[in-house]
Amino acid sequence: MDDDTQELIAIKEELSGISDRLRKIFPSTHPQFDSVFEDLGAAGYYMREAGYRLELVLKTVQGDSGFERLKKLKLSKISGVA
């Protein structure tokens, strides 16, 4: 595994860790939960989205480009292979 891949994986894991930490800081029983719920939800959404995007970057860096995945998907649908 090269340095780029390791760095991307580390960043993705950090994002996941931040999400976990936020949930621990503001559980639904926290007195200010209602006040921060919407913003925490938005932050969580964007961190998950960033994780998904980093996963795509990882696949591209590892040689599995989006075009190749799309081509494989189309071929599998045409041939009926899942």
Side-chain angles (χ1 to χ4, degrees):
M1 192 178 311
D2 65 7
D3 290 340
D4 293 339
T5 301
Q6 289 176 345
E7 279 295 312
L8 290 167
I9 290 170
I11 292 168
K12 192 168 181 271
E13 289 172 355
E14 287 176 36
L15 284 171
S16 179
I18 292 169
S19 292
D20 292 342
R21 288 172 53 197
L22 286 171
R23 281 192 292 279
K24 288 177 185 172
I25 294 169
F26 290 103
S28 60
T29 56
H30 190 282
Q32 291 181 311
F33 180 78
D34 290 341
S35 300
V36 297
F37 174 77
E38 188 174 332
D39 291 327
L40 282 176
Y45 169 81
Y46 288 114
M47 283 188 275
R48 282 189 307 277
E49 185 65 25
Y52 299 146
R53 298 297 177 164
L54 284 173
E55 186 66 35
L56 292 174
V57 171
L58 273 167
K59 289 180 180 184
T60 299
V61 167
Q62 294 170 339
D64 185 15
S65 71
F67 177 73
E68 289 300 316
R69 285 192 309 275
L70 182 60
K71 193 164 68 172
K72 288 177 190 174
L73 179 63
K74 286 182 178 180
L75 287 175
S76 68
K77 284 184 177 180
I78 291 171
S79 66
V81 177

